[in-house]
Amino acid sequence: MKLTVLGSGTSIPHPRRASPGFWLETGNHKVLLDIGPDIPHRMAEEHLDWPDIDAIWVSHFHLDHFGGLPPFLFSMRWAPQVANRTKPLRLVGPHGLQDLLQTINDGNNYRLFNQRFSVDVTEIKPDEQFELVPGLLAQTIKTPHTKESLALRLTHSDGKRFVYTSDTGFTEELGVFGKQADMLLMECSFRSNKPLQTHLELTDAMGLAKECDPGKLVLTHLYPEWDAFDLVAESSKLWQGEVIEAKDGLVVMI
Ligand SMILES: [Zn+2]
Ligand SMILES: [Zn+2]
């Protein structure tokens, strides 16, 4: 699998960190994990094959993770690049995804679901197992962030394991859920003295890294306060494994 970081930031405008979004290629399939408001144009900027995308995972409904979805569906109604597309587009996320999209759609009759191809919405519960795309088995757990927020664990048919926490507060359950992932993509919103219990700071994140012991740890969802610090150097004091700072445009193999 190949992961491209489209947005390593948060909801706060930042010159080098777009809102969250990660492009995952699995051989035959292309999946987007979260779709912040910047992401439709970021996919184009990275020359990714967005017209052929198979599925979009929405971890929760905060607008920095979901806000690009209505504009992306709106754009696909008009984009010449999808004029001949017949493949369905799969939207997968927590319970409430269909209603939320429908409400936005109906607010101005955007006709987001009237595409040249079908748009299939699948709502997932915590602790559910499903196939995200063929060959990619998914599991979820509830995270302490919003009432619907989910972490995602993907197992490729080649055996590789990838875990994406998305936004979360600290919970020991993530230490089990993320165990021995080949790559753990984890939020590390704050350095210290986090203002919100519904996010992680560095000691939380590295405590979870110790439990999970991933092949590679990628830290993301970095608030602007991180600009003043060396994330990898600070992480290395707390855990000896391979830590990678997410940066927009970074490509990592899993
Ligand atoms: Zn967020
Ligand atoms: Zn959030």
Side-chain angles (χ1 to χ4, degrees):
M1 291 186 279
K2 183 167 129 183
L3 186 84
T4 302
V5 177
L6 296 169
S8 58
T10 65
S11 60
I12 299 177
H14 188 283
R16 294 177 310 282
R17 297 195 187 280
S19 50
F22 304 89
W23 179 264
L24 185 67
E25 289 175 35
T26 68
N28 299 325
H29 295 94
K30 303 164 192 83
V31 176
L32 183 59
L33 306 174
D34 279 338
I35 176 163
D38 303 314
I39 297 307
H41 292 269
R42 284 284 300 126
M43 290 189 285
E45 198 170 28
E46 297 293 341
H47 307 288
L48 298 172
D49 190 7
W50 58 267
D52 196 42
I53 188 170
D54 292 279
I56 301 175
W57 164 254
V58 176
S59 66
H60 66 296
F61 304 144
H62 276 161
L63 285 168
D64 53 324
H65 297 254
F66 162 81
L69 186 52
F72 185 53
L73 293 173
F74 186 72
S75 73
M76 282 184 121
R77 285 178 45 77
W78 310 109
Q81 294 96 325
V82 293
N84 298 315
R85 177 177 171 136
T86 54
K87 181 166 74 171
L89 174 63
R90 192 163 189 223
L91 309 179
V92 190
H95 180 73
L97 180 60
Q98 172 79 48
D99 269 3
L100 182 55
L101 279 171
Q102 196 66 54
T103 301
I104 292 166
N105 180 70
D106 297 349
N108 196 44
N109 190 26
Y110 287 117
R111 300 201 286 165
L112 301 177
F113 295 99
N114 294 39
Q115 304 281 353
R116 301 174 182 96
F117 47 89
S118 69
V119 178
D120 305 328
V121 178
T122 306
E123 297 186 343
I124 300 295
K125 298 187 194 73
D127 307 311
E128 191 163 334
Q129 282 204 27
F130 59 99
E131 203 172 46
L132 184 56
V133 291
L136 201 56
L137 191 69
Q139 295 166 263
T140 54
I141 57 163
K142 179 78 199 77
T143 53
H145 182 67
T146 61
K147 68 174 171 28
E148 77 283 359
S149 58
L150 297 172
L152 183 70
R153 183 178 176 103
L154 299 174
T155 307
H156 192 263
S157 50
D158 69 5
K160 287 286 192 321
R161 295 156 298 195
F162 169 76
V163 172
Y164 173 43
T165 65
S166 189
D167 291 3
T168 184
F170 182 83
T171 168
E172 287 176 0
E173 284 171 59
L174 270 176
V176 178
F177 187 70
K179 209 146 229 127
Q180 291 173 349
D182 295 283
M183 183 192 293
L184 174 59
L185 175 60
M186 181 157 51
E187 79 127 283
C188 189
S189 291
F190 302 104
R191 178 170 172 265
S192 57
N193 303 316
K194 60 181 180 182
L196 296 162
Q197 288 307 307
T198 50
H199 282 294
L200 301 178
E201 61 183 36
L202 187 64
T203 51
D204 297 329
M206 302 321 285
L208 289 171
K210 271 183 205 159
E211 284 303 310
C212 298
D213 196 28
K216 287 177 188 160
L217 174 66
V218 179
L219 295 175
T220 191
H221 205 268
L222 303 170
Y223 271 85
E225 66 174 53
W226 273 114
D227 291 358
F229 298 97
D230 184 334
L231 172 64
V232 172
E234 300 226 355
S235 310
S236 305
K237 293 177 202 157
L238 302 172
W239 181 63
Q240 271 63 56
E242 183 182 357
V243 181
I244 299 168
E245 176 185 340
K247 290 184 178 163
D248 294 15
L250 176 78
V251 177
V252 197
M253 299 305 295
I254 306 169

